[in-house]
Amino acid sequence: MTQAHNPQSPTAATAPPPGINVLLKLAPLTLAVFIAFLTIGIQLPVLPLHLHDRLGMGPAVIGLVVGTQFAAALLSRAWAGNFADMRGGKRAVITGFLCASASGLIYLMSLAFIDAPVTSVWILVIGRVLLALGESLIVTGTMGWGIGLVGPQNSGKVMAWLGMAMFAAYAVGAPAGVALNNFHGFVGIAVSTVVIPLLAVTAISGMRALVPTATRRTPFYKVLGAVWVPGMGLALSSVGFGVITAFIALLFAAKDWGSSSLAFSAFGAAFIAARLCFGHLPDKLGGARVALICVVIEAVGQLLIWGAGSVSIAYLGAALTGFGYSLAFPGFGVEAMRRAPPQTRGLAMGAYVAFLDIALGITSPVAGVLAGAWGIGVVYLAGAVAALLSFLVALMLLGRRQKNGL
């Protein structure tokens, strides 16, 4: 009892003061994440074109190079999480920015071998691996650092705001990358990849570093066992997001609805609106309760796209999918953080996000098989089924909380 009131105790020293303004505390970190993830956003629409048009590569090689980042990110989550726990969130984030910047230098190096396309491709793969390592460090480092700054009782807000910054960066980065490529070619993309992460470093340079939460490496499987149930909820709820990003353009083409860009806009606008208006609810009401409602909204959105007879219904379905998925991530995430030991916060976040990597990696090929067998629309029926399965996961998590009196 004495230690609870001792201002010199570790708990008192690290606990945020009453009435803390969470948004102001997170603002520099949110800005840094937005700036850093522009690095990835500007590459998304351009890298496949560079590989095809400049290097003459086919779909298989393009898929390999693009997919390398996602595979390397998944494989590096455990290492990045332990790095953040043992070295501190700030050091992890700065190291991640430097890795991302170094990937741009590798891209520039690849341009010296345009006349040797195979060599240029392999150099690009090295750059993609470096970018993946940077992304893993940035995600795990910022999440753990943010939760440490504002307290675990605000972990839902941390995930909501930092996640919103990532998706906003993708949304802004894609058209910016196309424009940059039109004016300066891939060299402009490479130079921007070098410079942008260094700008992100300046955004966090004045922020307070926290004492590392761990003194030794924690085996990944120990944390994975603590977060796998909410992680499965995240994976299942992410299928809807995956089929929209991968197949909505094909659906619009099959139905002669024109460009699908407004469907992406509807998804993104609803996603951001949900985070802005309701991002506090997982902390206030409990992550499982919020996820329980939001995955139903996502399932309805997927069903609307599946049965859409007009483009306006498809837009509405995309918006509902974005709204529901937006809060499912922090909802299940709050439950994951509650189950993980506090000294392994970075590793736990890495393990949790790994379920998103796995879901997105599996969704596209499986949905492609379904579309080939039963038509493009069926992938959205599958997305609705996956969302409803994540409802069962949320129900199970809520039942456990009530059983434990939480």
Side-chain angles (χ1 to χ4, degrees):
M1 293 297 293
T2 303
Q3 188 178 12
H5 298 284
N6 183 0
Q8 300 302 319
S9 70
T11 302
T14 58
I20 185 174
N21 191 321
V22 174
L23 301 186
L24 284 179
K25 278 278 187 179
L26 293 177
L29 211 53
T30 304
L31 177 61
V33 168
F34 175 79
I35 296 172
F37 273 79
L38 282 175
T39 304
I40 299 174
I42 62 174
Q43 299 176 29
L44 288 176
V46 175
L47 184 61
L49 296 176
H50 173 70
L51 288 163
H52 182 270
D53 298 341
R54 292 289 304 278
L55 300 178
M57 296 297 146
V61 174
I62 293 172
L64 170 67
V65 177
V66 173
T68 295
Q69 180 194 336
F70 301 104
L74 171 62
L75 294 174
S76 63
R77 295 296 184 196
W79 168 79
N82 269 306
F83 186 99
D85 289 332
M86 296 176 64
R87 304 291 181 87
K90 185 170 185 177
R91 180 175 293 186
V93 173
I94 291 176
T95 304
F97 290 150
L98 296 178
C99 285
S101 181
S103 73
L105 294 175
I106 301 297
Y107 288 172
L108 284 172
M109 187 185 302
S110 75
L111 294 174
F113 296 88
I114 291 295
D115 294 333
V118 173
T119 302
S120 186
V121 167
W122 280 111
I123 295 173
L124 281 172
V125 167
I126 296 171
R128 298 291 285 175
V129 171
L130 264 177
L131 183 63
L133 295 179
E135 187 263 349
S136 280
L137 286 166
I138 293 166
V139 170
T140 56
T142 53
M143 293 289 184
W145 190 10
I147 293 171
L149 286 171
V150 300
Q153 73 277 12
N154 291 306
S155 57
K157 295 185 184 71
V158 174
M159 294 181 216
W161 280 92
L162 298 185
M164 185 172 63
M166 294 175 197
F167 279 90
Y170 290 148
V172 173
V178 171
L180 189 62
N181 188 58
N182 289 339
F183 283 102
H184 302 289
F186 194 70
V187 66
I189 301 297
V191 171
S192 297
T193 302
V194 174
V195 173
I196 290 174
L198 300 181
L199 296 177
V201 172
T202 65
I204 63 166
S205 59
M207 290 185 65
R208 176 171 60 93
L210 300 179
V211 176
T213 58
T215 57
R216 61 182 179 178
R217 182 179 179 85
T218 302
F220 187 62
Y221 70 88
K222 290 187 176 180
V223 174
L224 188 63
V227 305
W228 77 269
V229 175
M232 283 300 300
L234 170 65
L236 290 166
S237 67
S238 297
V239 172
F241 167 59
V243 295
I244 281 188
T245 56
F247 294 99
I248 197 71
L250 298 178
L251 178 69
F252 272 58
K255 297 200 173 188
D256 292 322
W257 284 344
S259 172
S260 62
S261 60
L262 286 180
F264 286 111
S265 298
F267 177 93
F271 183 98
I272 292 172
R275 292 274 174 105
L276 286 173
C277 298
F278 305 108
H280 63 288
L281 290 183
D283 294 322
K284 183 177 181 181
L285 302 179
R289 288 187 178 90
V290 172
L292 194 71
I293 297 170
C294 288
V295 295
V296 172
I297 296 173
E298 180 185 350
V300 171
Q302 292 286 284
L303 289 173
L304 285 177
I305 299 175
W306 172 57
S310 66
V311 69
S312 58
I313 297 299
Y315 290 152
L316 177 60
L320 288 176
T321 300
F323 189 96
Y325 179 63
S326 178
L327 295 179
F329 183 99
F332 286 118
V334 165
E335 298 297 331
M337 291 301 101
R338 283 175 175 159
R339 285 159 173 75
Q343 71 273 15
T344 62
R345 192 177 290 133
L347 184 59
M349 183 53 62
Y352 178 65
V353 175
F355 283 92
L356 172 60
D357 298 327
I358 293 169
L360 296 181
I362 293 175
T363 293
S364 292
V366 172
V369 171
L370 293 176
W374 291 289
I376 194 68
V378 77
V379 303
Y380 297 99
L381 177 60
V385 171
L388 292 175
L389 290 174
S390 70
F391 172 87
L392 297 179
V393 175
L395 200 63
M396 180 170 61
L397 290 169
L398 185 60
R400 288 184 179 179
R401 290 196 66 199
Q402 291 174 342
K403 181 179 179 180
N404 294 330
L406 297 177

